[in-house]
Amino acid sequence: MNVSQVPLIDLSKASDPLIEFWKDEFRQIRRDFHRYPELGLDTPRTSQKIEDYLYSYGVDEIHTGIGGHGVVAVINGKTNSGKAVGIRADIDALPMIELSDHDHASCLEGKMHGCGHDGHAATLLAVAKYLAKTRNFNGKAVLIFQPGEEGYSGAKVMIDDGLFERFPVDEVYAYHNSSQLRAGQIALNYGSMQAAADAFTLTITGSGGHGSRPESTHDPIVASAYIITALQTIVSRNVSPLDSAVVSIGSIHSGNPLAQSVIPGSCQIVGTCRTFLPQTRDLVEKRLKEIAETVAISFGCTATLDYDRKYPPVINTPHLAQAMADIAANLVGEENVLRDYPRSTGGEDFAFMLEKIPGVYIRVGQGGAPAHNGFYDFNDEIIPLAATLLAKTLEKRLEELAK
Ligand SMILES: [Zn+2]
Ligand SMILES: [Zn+2]
């Protein structure tokens, strides 16, 4: 069931009057992005448009080509404390088919802004226009337009290309729209928001042989069965009951279905791990390796673990999350700010930025169809509110950082 898109409150009153005044302009910008979705790290049109808009707003610096098509805008405040705050928007779309037939539906078959990154990009442009016009802050604004969130680690790609060396920031912020919240609701927590999402492959090797003479083999299938059972104890016996983790096996493969009397020489087990704390992530990887290796040895087999750390967990900096929640409450009222929002086992590459820089990942409700669904569409009504939240956070935090 879709959450109502009807706002809980008068969003125009919650937003900054200047940004609210530009609402139609940014609705049009968002819908243009929506018509021409681009995937992964390959966002030339979107990045060019962003550059053109930024130029028209009179920001101080525009830097393109960071990690491919990443764009950074720098805006200087009226005074310069030497401090800087970053705000990041993801800008990429998804390889999926849009099912709605609204006027701004995707013009490109098989590509769709199904996660609202068109809206995030438009929101950060609204922030850029507002900050360039008002300059009511002490220090520097660094606005980061990042491709490749949907599975391409675009944040890491920009960081590896020197993002934070070239544009050092003291804090960094990002928002994601949420269909699970009504328009006007804002949600976060003071710790982990999203899980680390990792993948692993275990290869169990034995000396296979004739199924009629098992005593002359070391059977990797039997060893794998015990390993899979023993792996269940990572979550039940190793991870604290007060923490949580997921170890799921998605594939097991060995042998040939036509070879019923052949004990194969190896077995491959593939799975995913989700954790919320760096130490739990380390623990889960360590126990996977220990259990697989030692159980394999007990059957005369060997195990090798290939553990791929994909996205780290998204962890908010507690005092900054509280500060941002207070700013949100000033805009929409305390009753519309969920300060203890449940964490999600999904992944998000803003985590790479929060690994390096203190900051906050926050959700702004929009109602409507769920993200990654063919009927999803970003709700333009929340652009002024989200832009106001980000801009006010930047102003307020730079004021605090200058003290
Ligand atoms: Zn998504
Ligand atoms: Zn997204």
Side-chain angles (χ1 to χ4, degrees), residues 234 238-239 278-288:
I234 297 175
N238 301 135
V239 174
Q279 59 269 34
T280 309
R281 193 185 200 191
D282 291 342
L283 173 72
V284 168
E285 179 179 350
K286 178 170 156 283
R287 290 299 292 148
L288 261 175

Side-chain angles (χ1 to χ4, degrees), residues 39 87 92 110 141 174 202 213 311 326 349 392 401:
L39 303 185
I87 306 174
D92 57 317
L202 279 168
R213 291 191 296 278
Y311 284 9
D326 291 346
D349 78 349
K392 296 292 167 193
L401 285 164

Side-chain angles (χ1 to χ4, degrees), residues 90 92-94 114-117 149-151 176 347-348 371-372:
D90 41 13
D92 57 317
L94 284 159
C115 203
H117 301 182
E149 193 285 321
E150 296 285 1
H176 204 294
E348 154 69 61
H372 294 215

Side-chain angles (χ1 to χ4, degrees), residues 71-72 87-89 124 142-146 158 163-164 353:
V71 179
V72 169
I87 306 174
R88 167 276 208 173
L124 194 53
V142 175
L143 308 185
I144 303 160
F145 296 86
Q146 178 223 300
M158 287 187 78
L163 174 68
F164 292 131
M353 297 196 183

Side-chain angles (χ1 to χ4, degrees), residues 149-283:
E149 193 285 321
E150 296 285 1
Y152 293 82
S153 302
K156 184 172 188 304
V157 173
M158 287 187 78
I159 291 168
D160 289 348
D161 200 22
L163 174 68
F164 292 131
E165 285 81 34
R166 291 173 67 186
F167 311 101
V169 294
D170 296 282
E171 297 171 6
V172 67
Y173 296 87
Y175 95 99
H176 204 294
N177 71 87
S178 173
S179 301
Q180 288 159 304
L181 301 166
R182 282 185 70 174
Q185 281 186 310
I186 294 173
L188 77 173
N189 64 46
Y190 299 170
S192 46
M193 286 288 285
Q194 306 274 128
D198 298 333
F200 69 87
T201 301
L202 279 168
T203 305
I204 317 303
T205 307
S207 53
H210 204 298
S212 68
R213 291 191 296 278
E215 76 281 9
S216 63
T217 70
H218 296 298
D219 187 341
I221 290 185
V222 174
S224 295
Y226 278 84
I227 289 169
I228 289 167
T229 307
L231 292 182
Q232 308 310 312
T233 63
I234 297 175
V235 172
S236 70
R237 302 290 87 182
N238 301 135
V239 174
S240 163
L242 303 178
D243 188 11
S244 56
V246 174
V247 177
S248 287
I249 288 156
S251 162
I252 170 166
H253 179 76
S254 182
N256 182 331
L258 300 176
Q260 74 272 36
S261 62
V262 175
I263 293 174
S266 71
C267 181
Q268 200 174 58
I269 301 165
V270 173
T272 186
C273 297
R274 304 293 165 114
T275 52
F276 294 95
L277 299 171
Q279 59 269 34
T280 309
R281 193 185 200 191
D282 291 342
L283 173 72

